[in-house]
Amino acid sequence: MDTTSLHTRPWSRRLRGALDAPAHWEILDIPAGPLADAVESLPLGPYRDALRGVWLGHPLHPALVQLPLGCWMSAGLLDFTPGGRRSADVLVAAGLLTAGPAALAGWVDWARLDPPRRRTGLVHATANITGVLLYAGSLLARSRGRRVRGRVLGLAGLAAVSAGAALGGHLSYRQAAGPDRAAAVPRLAPADWVGLGPVENFPVGEPTRRMAGELAVVVVRDGERCHVLAERCAHLSGPLSEGTVADGCLRCPWHGSEFRLRDGEVVQGPATAPQPVFETRVLSGHLEVRLPGAG
Ligand code: FES
Protein backbone atom coordinates (compact mmCIF):
# COMPACT_ATOMS: atom_id res chain seq x y z
CA MET A 1 0.00 0.00 0.00
CA ASP A 2 1.29 3.46 -0.91
CA THR A 3 1.65 5.37 2.35
CA THR A 4 2.61 8.66 0.68
CA SER A 5 0.16 11.36 1.78
CA LEU A 6 -1.71 13.10 -0.98
CA HIS A 7 -0.27 16.48 -0.05
CA THR A 8 3.33 15.26 -0.31
CA ARG A 9 2.96 13.97 -3.87
CA PRO A 10 4.93 15.90 -6.52
CA TRP A 11 1.82 17.04 -8.42
CA SER A 12 0.30 18.38 -5.20
CA ARG A 13 3.45 20.31 -4.35
CA ARG A 14 3.59 21.70 -7.89
CA LEU A 15 -0.05 22.78 -7.70
CA ARG A 16 0.48 24.55 -4.37
CA GLY A 17 3.66 26.12 -5.72
CA ALA A 18 1.76 27.42 -8.74
CA LEU A 19 -0.91 28.96 -6.51
CA ASP A 20 1.71 30.50 -4.22
CA ALA A 21 3.83 31.88 -7.06
CA PRO A 22 1.90 35.09 -7.96
CA ALA A 23 2.39 36.47 -4.44
CA HIS A 24 6.12 36.75 -5.27
CA TRP A 25 5.78 38.42 -8.68
CA GLU A 26 6.87 41.92 -7.68
CA ILE A 27 6.50 43.19 -11.22
CA LEU A 28 2.76 43.14 -10.63
CA ASP A 29 3.20 45.99 -8.14
CA ILE A 30 3.70 48.32 -11.14
CA PRO A 31 0.07 48.12 -12.32
CA ALA A 32 -1.30 47.24 -8.87
CA GLY A 33 -0.50 50.61 -7.27
CA PRO A 34 -2.30 52.87 -9.79
CA LEU A 35 -5.14 50.36 -10.08
CA ALA A 36 -5.68 50.33 -6.34
CA ASP A 37 -5.65 54.16 -6.32
CA ALA A 38 -8.24 54.16 -9.12
CA VAL A 39 -10.47 51.74 -7.19
CA GLU A 40 -10.09 53.81 -4.03
CA SER A 41 -11.08 56.97 -5.87
CA LEU A 42 -14.33 55.51 -7.24
CA PRO A 43 -17.20 57.64 -5.86
CA LEU A 44 -18.94 54.75 -4.10
CA GLY A 45 -19.75 56.56 -0.85
CA PRO A 46 -21.51 54.27 1.65
CA TYR A 47 -21.81 51.57 -1.01
CA ARG A 48 -18.10 50.86 -0.62
CA ASP A 49 -18.59 49.37 2.86
CA ALA A 50 -21.79 47.69 1.65
CA LEU A 51 -19.79 46.00 -1.13
CA ARG A 52 -17.17 44.98 1.40
CA GLY A 53 -19.85 43.23 3.44
CA VAL A 54 -19.66 45.31 6.63
CA TRP A 55 -23.45 44.91 6.98
CA LEU A 56 -23.05 41.13 6.67
CA GLY A 57 -20.12 40.76 9.06
CA HIS A 58 -17.89 39.08 6.47
CA PRO A 59 -16.77 39.78 2.89
CA LEU A 60 -19.57 39.91 0.33
CA HIS A 61 -17.46 39.06 -2.73
CA PRO A 62 -17.26 35.27 -2.09
CA ALA A 63 -21.05 35.11 -1.83
CA LEU A 64 -21.63 37.16 -5.01
CA VAL A 65 -19.29 35.06 -7.14
CA GLN A 66 -21.58 32.06 -6.65
CA LEU A 67 -24.05 33.67 -9.06
CA PRO A 68 -21.94 33.83 -12.24
CA LEU A 69 -20.07 30.63 -11.40
CA GLY A 70 -23.29 28.74 -10.78
CA CYS A 71 -24.83 30.07 -14.01
CA TRP A 72 -21.81 29.19 -16.09
CA MET A 73 -21.30 25.72 -14.65
CA SER A 74 -24.96 24.96 -15.26
CA ALA A 75 -24.68 26.32 -18.80
CA GLY A 76 -21.74 24.00 -19.39
CA LEU A 77 -23.87 21.01 -18.45
CA LEU A 78 -26.94 22.14 -20.39
CA ASP A 79 -24.84 22.70 -23.50
CA PHE A 80 -24.41 18.94 -23.65
CA THR A 81 -27.92 18.01 -22.54
CA PRO A 82 -30.58 17.32 -25.20
CA GLY A 83 -32.99 20.24 -25.28
CA GLY A 84 -30.80 22.39 -23.02
CA ARG A 85 -29.43 24.82 -25.56
CA ARG A 86 -31.81 27.73 -24.96
CA SER A 87 -31.45 27.46 -21.19
CA ALA A 88 -27.68 27.37 -21.58
CA ASP A 89 -27.78 30.61 -23.59
CA VAL A 90 -29.88 32.29 -20.90
CA LEU A 91 -27.50 31.13 -18.18
CA VAL A 92 -24.45 32.40 -20.07
CA ALA A 93 -26.12 35.83 -20.28
CA ALA A 94 -27.19 35.71 -16.61
CA GLY A 95 -23.62 34.89 -15.63
CA LEU A 96 -22.36 37.94 -17.50
CA LEU A 97 -24.94 40.18 -15.83
CA THR A 98 -24.14 38.98 -12.31
CA ALA A 99 -20.37 39.03 -12.82
CA GLY A 100 -20.34 42.85 -12.62
CA PRO A 101 -21.40 43.30 -8.98
CA ALA A 102 -19.25 40.34 -7.92
CA ALA A 103 -16.21 41.85 -9.63
CA LEU A 104 -16.82 45.30 -8.14
CA ALA A 105 -17.02 43.85 -4.61
CA GLY A 106 -13.79 41.96 -5.29
CA TRP A 107 -11.94 45.04 -6.52
CA VAL A 108 -13.02 47.04 -3.47
CA ASP A 109 -11.63 44.33 -1.16
CA TRP A 110 -8.50 43.97 -3.24
CA ALA A 111 -7.55 47.66 -3.09
CA ARG A 112 -6.82 47.47 0.66
CA LEU A 113 -4.72 44.31 0.61
CA ASP A 114 -1.00 44.26 1.20
CA PRO A 115 1.36 43.80 -1.79
CA PRO A 116 1.76 39.97 -1.80
CA ARG A 117 -1.99 39.39 -1.55
CA ARG A 118 -2.65 42.12 -4.10
CA ARG A 119 -0.42 40.32 -6.59
CA THR A 120 -2.35 37.08 -6.15
CA GLY A 121 -5.58 39.04 -6.38
CA LEU A 122 -4.47 40.64 -9.62
CA VAL A 123 -3.81 37.27 -11.25
CA HIS A 124 -7.15 36.02 -9.89
CA ALA A 125 -8.88 39.03 -11.46
CA THR A 126 -7.04 38.59 -14.76
CA ALA A 127 -8.20 34.98 -15.01
CA ASN A 128 -11.76 36.07 -14.29
CA ILE A 129 -11.68 38.93 -16.81
CA THR A 130 -10.40 36.45 -19.39
CA GLY A 131 -13.32 34.20 -18.52
CA VAL A 132 -15.82 37.05 -18.85
CA LEU A 133 -14.45 37.98 -22.28
CA LEU A 134 -14.64 34.37 -23.41
CA TYR A 135 -18.24 34.12 -22.21
CA ALA A 136 -19.10 37.39 -23.97
CA GLY A 137 -17.66 35.85 -27.16
CA SER A 138 -19.63 32.68 -26.48
CA LEU A 139 -22.87 34.64 -26.15
CA LEU A 140 -22.16 36.50 -29.36
CA ALA A 141 -21.47 33.27 -31.21
CA ARG A 142 -24.67 31.72 -29.83
CA SER A 143 -26.72 34.74 -30.93
CA ARG A 144 -25.37 34.24 -34.48
CA GLY A 145 -26.29 30.58 -34.49
CA ARG A 146 -22.67 29.38 -34.23
CA ARG A 147 -23.35 26.79 -31.59
CA VAL A 148 -20.07 24.90 -31.72
CA ARG A 149 -18.03 28.06 -31.38
CA GLY A 150 -20.33 29.22 -28.58
CA ARG A 151 -19.84 25.96 -26.69
CA VAL A 152 -16.06 25.93 -27.15
CA LEU A 153 -15.74 29.53 -26.00
CA GLY A 154 -18.01 28.71 -23.04
CA LEU A 155 -15.80 25.79 -22.01
CA ALA A 156 -12.70 27.97 -22.34
CA GLY A 157 -14.43 30.61 -20.21
CA LEU A 158 -15.29 27.99 -17.61
CA ALA A 159 -11.65 26.89 -17.49
CA ALA A 160 -10.52 30.51 -16.99
CA VAL A 161 -12.99 31.31 -14.22
CA SER A 162 -12.22 27.98 -12.55
CA ALA A 163 -8.53 28.92 -12.47
CA GLY A 164 -9.60 32.31 -11.07
CA ALA A 165 -11.73 30.58 -8.44
CA ALA A 166 -8.81 28.36 -7.41
CA LEU A 167 -6.65 31.45 -6.92
CA GLY A 168 -9.48 33.19 -5.08
CA GLY A 169 -9.78 30.25 -2.71
CA HIS A 170 -6.02 30.27 -2.18
CA LEU A 171 -6.13 34.00 -1.49
CA SER A 172 -8.91 33.58 1.06
CA TYR A 173 -7.92 30.42 2.86
CA ARG A 174 -4.16 30.03 2.43
CA GLN A 175 -3.24 33.71 2.37
CA ALA A 176 -6.10 34.63 4.72
CA ALA A 177 -7.15 37.75 2.83
CA GLY A 178 -10.75 37.79 4.05
CA PRO A 179 -11.22 36.06 7.40
CA ASP A 180 -11.90 37.75 10.71
CA ARG A 181 -8.41 37.96 12.23
CA ALA A 182 -9.88 38.43 15.70
CA ALA A 183 -12.00 35.27 15.58
CA ALA A 184 -9.62 33.37 17.89
CA VAL A 185 -9.74 36.03 20.61
CA PRO A 186 -12.47 34.32 22.72
CA ARG A 187 -10.34 31.16 22.82
CA LEU A 188 -7.14 33.03 23.73
CA ALA A 189 -8.59 35.44 26.29
CA PRO A 190 -8.49 34.49 29.99
CA ALA A 191 -11.79 33.06 31.21
CA ASP A 192 -11.81 35.16 34.40
CA TRP A 193 -11.10 38.76 35.35
CA VAL A 194 -7.51 39.78 34.81
CA GLY A 195 -5.78 42.96 36.03
CA LEU A 196 -4.24 45.49 33.64
CA GLY A 197 -2.84 47.91 36.24
CA PRO A 198 -3.83 51.21 37.90
CA VAL A 199 -6.30 53.28 35.88
CA GLU A 200 -4.16 56.36 36.41
CA ASN A 201 -1.41 54.72 34.33
CA PHE A 202 -3.52 54.95 31.18
CA PRO A 203 -3.30 58.33 29.45
CA VAL A 204 -6.70 59.76 28.51
CA GLY A 205 -7.63 59.32 24.83
CA GLU A 206 -4.40 57.55 23.94
CA PRO A 207 -4.48 53.87 22.93
CA THR A 208 -2.22 51.83 25.20
CA ARG A 209 -1.15 48.23 24.70
CA ARG A 210 -1.33 45.73 27.56
CA MET A 211 -1.34 41.96 27.95
CA ALA A 212 -4.40 40.20 29.32
CA GLY A 213 -2.81 36.83 30.04
CA GLU A 214 -1.44 35.69 26.66
CA LEU A 215 -3.58 38.11 24.69
CA ALA A 216 -2.63 41.65 23.65
CA VAL A 217 -5.33 44.24 24.26
CA VAL A 218 -5.61 47.96 23.69
CA VAL A 219 -6.90 50.25 26.42
CA VAL A 220 -8.46 53.62 25.66
CA ARG A 221 -9.23 55.70 28.73
CA ASP A 222 -12.08 58.14 28.51
CA GLY A 223 -12.09 60.09 31.81
CA GLU A 224 -12.70 57.50 34.52
CA ARG A 225 -14.05 54.98 32.02
CA CYS A 226 -11.78 52.60 30.12
CA HIS A 227 -12.58 50.79 26.88
CA VAL A 228 -10.61 47.63 26.19
CA LEU A 229 -10.51 45.92 22.79
CA ALA A 230 -8.42 43.14 21.29
CA GLU A 231 -5.18 44.71 20.05
CA ARG A 232 -4.91 43.03 16.63
CA CYS A 233 -7.29 44.44 14.02
CA ALA A 234 -9.94 42.06 12.70
CA HIS A 235 -9.01 43.06 9.12
CA LEU A 236 -5.34 42.13 8.71
CA SER A 237 -4.05 42.19 12.30
CA GLY A 238 -2.89 45.82 12.36
CA PRO A 239 -1.75 47.11 15.79
CA LEU A 240 -4.67 49.12 17.11
CA SER A 241 -2.55 50.54 19.97
CA GLU A 242 -0.77 52.55 17.25
CA GLY A 243 -4.07 53.85 15.93
CA THR A 244 -5.93 57.06 16.68
CA VAL A 245 -9.04 57.86 18.68
CA ALA A 246 -11.78 60.16 17.41
CA ASP A 247 -15.55 60.45 17.86
CA GLY A 248 -15.76 57.43 20.13
CA CYS A 249 -13.94 55.22 17.61
CA LEU A 250 -10.51 53.66 17.33
CA ARG A 251 -8.97 53.90 13.86
CA CYS A 252 -6.54 51.23 12.67
CA PRO A 253 -3.19 52.65 11.49
CA TRP A 254 -2.86 50.20 8.59
CA HIS A 255 -5.97 50.55 6.40
CA GLY A 256 -8.18 52.91 8.34
CA SER A 257 -10.87 50.60 9.71
CA GLU A 258 -12.79 52.31 12.51
CA PHE A 259 -14.21 50.40 15.45
CA ARG A 260 -16.67 51.87 17.94
CA LEU A 261 -15.01 51.83 21.36
CA ARG A 262 -18.28 51.05 23.13
CA ASP A 263 -19.04 47.77 21.39
CA GLY A 264 -16.36 47.17 18.75
CA GLU A 265 -18.78 47.52 15.82
CA VAL A 266 -17.27 48.47 12.47
CA VAL A 267 -18.06 52.10 11.69
CA GLN A 268 -15.84 52.10 8.61
CA GLY A 269 -14.22 49.22 6.69
CA PRO A 270 -12.30 47.53 5.21
CA ALA A 271 -12.74 45.36 8.32
CA THR A 272 -16.08 43.56 8.16
CA ALA A 273 -16.07 41.76 11.53
CA PRO A 274 -16.42 43.69 14.80
CA GLN A 275 -13.46 43.99 17.12
CA PRO A 276 -13.85 41.99 20.37
CA VAL A 277 -14.57 44.26 23.32
CA PHE A 278 -13.83 43.34 26.94
CA GLU A 279 -15.97 43.96 29.99
CA THR A 280 -14.20 46.22 32.46
CA ARG A 281 -14.34 46.97 36.17
CA VAL A 282 -12.22 49.06 38.49
CA LEU A 283 -11.28 47.64 41.89
CA SER A 284 -9.28 49.86 44.27
CA GLY A 285 -8.20 52.00 41.33
CA HIS A 286 -7.03 49.01 39.29
CA LEU A 287 -8.49 48.14 35.91
CA GLU A 288 -9.65 44.56 35.37
CA VAL A 289 -11.07 43.02 32.23
CA ARG A 290 -12.71 39.86 31.03
CA LEU A 291 -14.23 38.78 27.76
CA PRO A 292 -17.77 37.38 28.02
CA GLY A 293 -17.79 33.81 26.73
CA ALA A 294 -13.97 33.53 26.76
CA GLY A 295 -12.00 30.42 27.59
S1 FES B 1 -5.28 45.85 9.46
FE1 FES B 1 -6.39 46.65 7.81
S2 FES B 1 -7.69 48.09 8.73
FE2 FES B 1 -6.64 47.22 10.38
Side-chain angles (χ1 to χ4, degrees), residues 112 233-240 252-259 269-271:
R112 291 284 178 100
C233 175
H235 178 229
L236 285 176
S237 301
L240 292 180
C252 178
W254 282 8
H255 309 104
S257 289
E258 289 181 17
F259 302 98

Side-chain angles (χ1 to χ4, degrees), residues 57-58 178-189 215 230-237 259 272-277 291-295:
H58 64 74
D180 171 10
R181 297 299 184 94
V185 166
R187 276 183 281 115
L188 298 174
L215 186 75
E231 148 77 346
R232 289 289 163 182
C233 175
H235 178 229
L236 285 176
S237 301
F259 302 98
T272 53
Q275 195 67 11
V277 172
L291 189 67

Side-chain angles (χ1 to χ4, degrees), residues 44-65:
L44 294 173
Y47 297 110
R48 186 177 297 276
D49 272 356
L51 284 164
R52 284 174 174 144
V54 171
W55 58 277
L56 189 59
H58 64 74
L60 183 60
H61 174 67
L64 290 181
V65 297

Side-chain angles (χ1 to χ4, degrees), residues 193-197 228 279-283 286-290:
W193 291 99
V194 57
L196 297 184
V228 181
E279 269 185 69
T280 61
R281 71 180 181 188
V282 176
L283 291 182
H286 281 65
L287 177 64
E288 294 187 354
V289 297
R290 75 172 176 188

Side-chain angles (χ1 to χ4, degrees), residues 12-295:
S12 170
R13 284 202 301 271
R14 272 200 294 276
L15 176 62
R16 282 180 282 139
L19 291 169
D20 275 331
H24 305 287
W25 296 344
E26 292 180 12
I27 193 160
L28 294 178
D29 294 344
I30 296 171
L35 248 177
D37 290 344
V39 174
E40 289 286 273
S41 65
L42 288 174
L44 294 173
Y47 297 110
R48 186 177 297 276
D49 272 356
L51 284 164
R52 284 174 174 144
V54 171
W55 58 277
L56 189 59
H58 64 74
L60 183 60
H61 174 67
L64 290 181
V65 297
Q66 306 306 316
L67 296 169
L69 281 179
C71 287
W72 289 334
M73 289 182 81
S74 304
L77 284 174
L78 287 169
D79 262 341
F80 297 94
T81 304
R85 287 177 174 183
R86 283 286 145 235
S87 302
D89 295 353
V90 171
L91 285 169
V92 168
L96 285 167
L97 280 176
T98 53
L104 185 57
W107 282 114
V108 165
D109 289 345
W110 171 84
R112 291 284 178 100
L113 292 177
D114 53 2
R117 293 182 181 91
R118 257 193 207 172
R119 294 170 201 147
T120 304
L122 205 52
V123 179
H124 159 74
T126 303
N128 288 336
I129 290 168
T130 304
V132 166
L133 292 175
L134 287 164
Y135 272 112
S138 171
L139 190 64
L140 190 66
R142 289 161 193 265
S143 70
R144 293 177 175 170
R146 308 183 78 162
R147 308 268 352 148
V148 174
R149 178 176 291 198
R151 274 188 202 170
V152 170
L153 285 171
L155 289 176
L158 190 57
V161 295
S162 298
L167 273 167
H170 195 73
L171 185 59
S172 298
Y173 298 111
R174 175 65 179 256
Q175 298 176 347
D180 171 10
R181 297 299 184 94
V185 166
R187 276 183 281 115
L188 298 174
D192 208 350
W193 291 99
V194 57
L196 297 184
V199 173
E200 63 189 23
N201 284 1
F202 298 102
V204 173
E206 206 173 292
T208 307
R209 189 179 191 274
R210 285 287 185 277
M211 294 303 292
E214 300 288 305
L215 186 75
V217 296
V218 55
V219 181
V220 178
R221 185 176 161 197
D222 177 12
E224 284 313 299
R225 173 146 192 224
C226 288
H227 301 282
V228 181
L229 287 75
E231 148 77 346
R232 289 289 163 182
C233 175
H235 178 229
L236 285 176
S237 301
L240 292 180
S241 58
E242 295 173 24
T244 49
V245 177
D247 300 327
C249 295
L250 180 54
R251 183 180 168 86
C252 178
W254 282 8
H255 309 104
S257 289
E258 289 181 17
F259 302 98
R260 202 157 52 201
L261 287 167
R262 178 162 43 90
D263 54 11
E265 283 299 325
V266 180
V267 173
Q268 181 178 298
T272 53
Q275 195 67 11
V277 172
F278 289 72
E279 269 185 69
T280 61
R281 71 180 181 188
V282 176
L283 291 182
S284 307
H286 281 65
L287 177 64
E288 294 187 354
V289 297
R290 75 172 176 188
L291 189 67

